[in-house]
Amino acid sequence: MARVLVGVKRVIDYAVKIRVKPDKSGVVTDGVKHSMNPFDEIAVEEAVRLKEQKIANEIIAVSCGPQQSQDVLRTALAMGADKAIHVEVAGAEYETLQPIHVSKILAKIAQNEKVDLVIVGKQAIDDDCNQTAQMTAGFLDWPQATYASKIEKKDDHIVVKREIDGGLETIKCKIPAVISADLRLNEPRYATLPNIMKAKKKPLTKITPKDLGVDVSPRIQIVKVEEPPVRQAGSIIPDVDTLVTKLKEKGHA
Amino acid sequence: MLVKTFSVFSKNFIKYVPVRRLSSVPTFAKDYLQVKRGPYKTLDEQDVRFFRTLLEENSLIEDRCDLEKYNVDFLKHLRGCSPLVLRPRTVEQMSKILSYCNNNLLAVCPQGGNTGVCGGATPVFDEIIVSTEWLNSVIHLDETSGVLVCEAGCVLENLHNYLNDYDLMMPIDLGAKGSCQIGGNTSTNAGGIRLYRYGNLHGNILGLEAVKADGEIIDCMNTLKKDNTGFHLKHIFIGSEGCLGIVTKVAIQCHPKPKSIQLAFLGAQNFTKALKAFKTAKQELGEIISAVEVMDHETIKFMWEHTDTTSPIGDYPIYLIIETSGSNEEHDQDKLNKYFQKCMDKHFVLNGVVTSSPSKSEQIWGLRERVAENFYKDGYVFAYDISLPLENYYDIVTEMKEYLGEKSHRVFGFGHLGDGNLHIQISVQKFSTDIMNYIEQHLYKRVNELNGSISAEHGIGFLKKQYLPLVKSEANMNLMRSLKRVMDPNGILNPYKVV
């Protein structure tokens, strides 16, 4: 029976229209609806399924971020995680928090909690970094199975189907290991009301990176954040001849 | 998982249903109810020449392929044979078009987003289609009062998005929001999921501008909340389905966008329990309820078979969707939790999910809102839109199921429980007048006996015209006909519809 750690990040909900701050220092987050990173939801779901198959016996959800990160931890608990750890990083520190910091934090907690599997989403939809799983594996010196679309436990190892360019790759790796969840791994369940109620009684502990001995001082400086260029309006032309002329003018024909 | 077990079962064992793809050609409207063409002039080259000089290029559509989109209703139930679509860009052009048509006895079919479900916007014979799609600018927004003034062809969803930047929202929301236009919504007095909270368009439209059949522009524009002067003419154009005039501009009271929106999807053992949960919601959630919808399991099954989306909580006979809109998330969540606890304790509901996440809410609303656009995949679907007293609300679905037996492969119901409005759908393999009469005579008789309405929000249009005298007295019918004669003496506006 394995102990599983899942990383969950609080991000702006994907159905919300993103607005850039007027001073170009970042995007507007105040009063904007946040949710769990969709790939992390898949990671939580997979952990819960492992528990349902009696492969896992305990699921620990971890989130690094401000106080509100506890919301996504509660969701993870309602989905089926057993306990949650909130690593509080707030304010300016959070704005420059990068996968390298998070990986160090996750690796440290993985060691402290003696987990056998770390499952995280393949990337967060806000910064699109796609680095946390790989670096966590690096810090722990564990094997990594990234972009998983199927996970099976066989004896003392796991068999993971990975989504790669042009097909699927099946790999076998030893446990302990780090897995990153791809889109087709599963369809996450909704947190039902009875489970949301139960989740309120599950333990949630708050720590700081300092407690873990992880330095989260910034390694980057955000120069500017800009919106993508606005698409130019099209025009309707009367016939094919005009189209050909226009294309020639623009050097396309 | 529970959901998957049932789903696999239903997919393997589903009866063969002829799927009507987008390429299927529906019946001509004229053959559908055997109507006779009125004494109108047939469009000729000279008329087209007039319209060409009046409107700019591209405003006319004569190509047969391009016309198809306007000649066929979105459910693919009906097809007209209009040879021409006109798309005016200004109210003056609209006025000149109508005045010409009136003088020359050319019949006109006004059309907005073409999302009506009673054939009100589909030509029956060769009526000229006058589309409002190019009358589509926002004219003014008063951020303080929340009054939006815009042209009739603005697509509802575009208005939602526009208002979003000002933290406001439209008082109306429909499944068809991506295509339907505010002018069409006004002309049909469209309902939708926000009606429970914000009331219908008679209340939310503060003013409008419309063009009469003879081309005269009637200016009832007003952006005041209160204006009690003279006869309230705007109401004559709201819900008259383009038979008395074409709406070209509206002023709408918009509402502040709620800071906290919670959506609950609940499963109940039967309709009686769901009704108790609804009653409890009114007591416990009070002022924050913004929508109350109901769906039966057959509807979820329908969605799973045709779209692969399904209930987020597994299988239950009846589902309730309750949306709350408020200004304080903590307060709303707290209320919802207490409400839910109470419902669970009393077994009014057996399970449920609640979410404040916009993406999750979109998925859940999708289950409800996207039902209609999948009708065409289920054979021929007779879709009815009735109002019933709540105690009889769902019985009619069971009753119709029994009444039809083998004649139908699916009878399903969903609707706006909060407004007593039920959408009941009956799927058959193939359309026939016999089956239609068999269904409608019984259904409408029962609705009448139960003191319901045969059209809660969809209107009368073409498809329900013959049933209007069943539910409106002779005196009412006569007054409606006189009004029509006064406003449109030649009967050129949307003929063969409503009265």
Side-chain angles (χ1 to χ4, degrees), chain A residues 58-89:
Chain A
E58 187 171 33
I59 302 164
I60 307 154
V62 179
S63 188
C64 308
Q67 181 67 21
Q68 299 96 311
S69 298
Q70 291 191 6
D71 297 346
V72 295
L73 286 172
R74 287 286 171 207
T75 308
L77 292 172
M79 285 173 77
D82 298 290
K83 64 176 193 177
I85 300 171
H86 173 213
V87 185
E88 194 174 32
V89 185

Side-chain angles (χ1 to χ4, degrees), chain B residues 187-429:
Chain B
S187 301
T188 55
N189 186 26
I193 48 185
R194 286 188 187 151
L195 190 136
Y196 180 78
R197 170 90 157 247
Y198 301 104
N200 72 18
L201 287 175
H202 281 287
N204 288 302
I205 300 268
L206 299 180
L208 57 76
E209 175 194 78
V211 183
K212 263 170 56 199
D214 61 2
E216 197 176 1
I217 301 170
I218 303 293
D219 183 356
C220 311
M221 278 313 279
N222 163 55
T223 51
L224 307 165
K225 192 98 182 165
K226 295 173 94 172
D227 171 30
N228 216 358
T229 52
F231 294 165
H232 295 237
L233 292 178
K234 68 171 185 194
H235 292 297
I236 249 177
F237 298 102
I238 302 174
S240 53
E241 305 186 48
C243 292
L244 303 179
I246 302 183
V247 174
T248 48
K249 204 188 276 174
V250 291
I252 313 163
Q253 177 67 63
C254 301
H255 302 279
K257 198 174 71 182
K259 283 200 183 118
S260 147
I261 298 178
Q262 313 288 323
L263 188 64
F265 187 92
L266 312 170
Q269 200 184 354
N270 54 45
F271 181 73
T272 318
K273 297 265 165 107
L275 205 54
K276 284 185 176 152
F278 169 47
K279 203 176 156 201
T280 316
K282 286 204 275 190
Q283 291 155 349
E284 300 290 318
L285 304 171
E287 76 288 353
I288 58 169
I289 305 183
S290 52
V292 182
E293 298 284 313
V294 69
M295 302 171 85
D296 61 6
H297 182 60
E298 196 63 44
T299 309
I300 290 284
K301 231 170 109 186
F302 167 90
M303 286 304 276
W304 168 251
E305 283 169 24
H306 298 304
T307 68
D308 277 4
T309 51
T310 192
S311 151
I313 51 171
D315 297 352
Y316 294 91
I318 284 277
Y319 307 91
L320 261 186
I321 302 177
I322 297 180
E323 187 195 69
T324 66
S325 304
S327 53
N328 182 331
E329 184 152 81
E330 233 168 276
H331 166 265
D332 296 359
Q333 277 173 350
D334 192 42
K335 268 189 161 179
L336 256 176
N337 286 341
K338 278 190 193 132
Y339 162 68
F340 183 69
Q341 196 64 58
K342 202 164 182 175
C343 285
M344 286 288 275
D345 290 348
K346 296 193 171 174
H347 306 289
F348 295 161
V349 301
L350 301 172
N351 198 358
V353 293
V354 66
T355 181
S356 59
S357 133
S359 50
K360 290 263 184 317
S361 300
E362 242 171 50
Q363 284 167 18
I364 292 177
W365 269 130
L367 269 175
R368 164 65 186 85
E369 290 187 328
R370 290 182 49 221
V371 179
E373 67 192 51
N374 290 292
F375 281 171
Y376 74 95
K377 297 177 183 165
D378 206 44
Y380 189 94
V381 178
F382 289 99
Y384 300 100
D385 157 48
I386 57 180
S387 270
L388 286 174
L390 285 179
E391 63 266 31
N392 306 109
Y393 186 87
Y394 192 72
D395 294 346
I396 197 94
V397 178
T398 328
E399 197 183 311
M400 287 310 286
K401 219 176 265 182
E402 279 165 23
Y403 172 73
L404 281 153
E406 287 289 300
K407 289 191 173 72
S408 143
H409 62 266
R410 197 197 302 273
V411 178
F412 58 111
F414 59 89
H416 315 291
L417 182 65
D419 316 320
N421 178 190
L422 173 74
H423 295 306
I424 167 168
Q425 279 64 234
I426 297 164
S427 305
V428 295
Q429 303 267 344

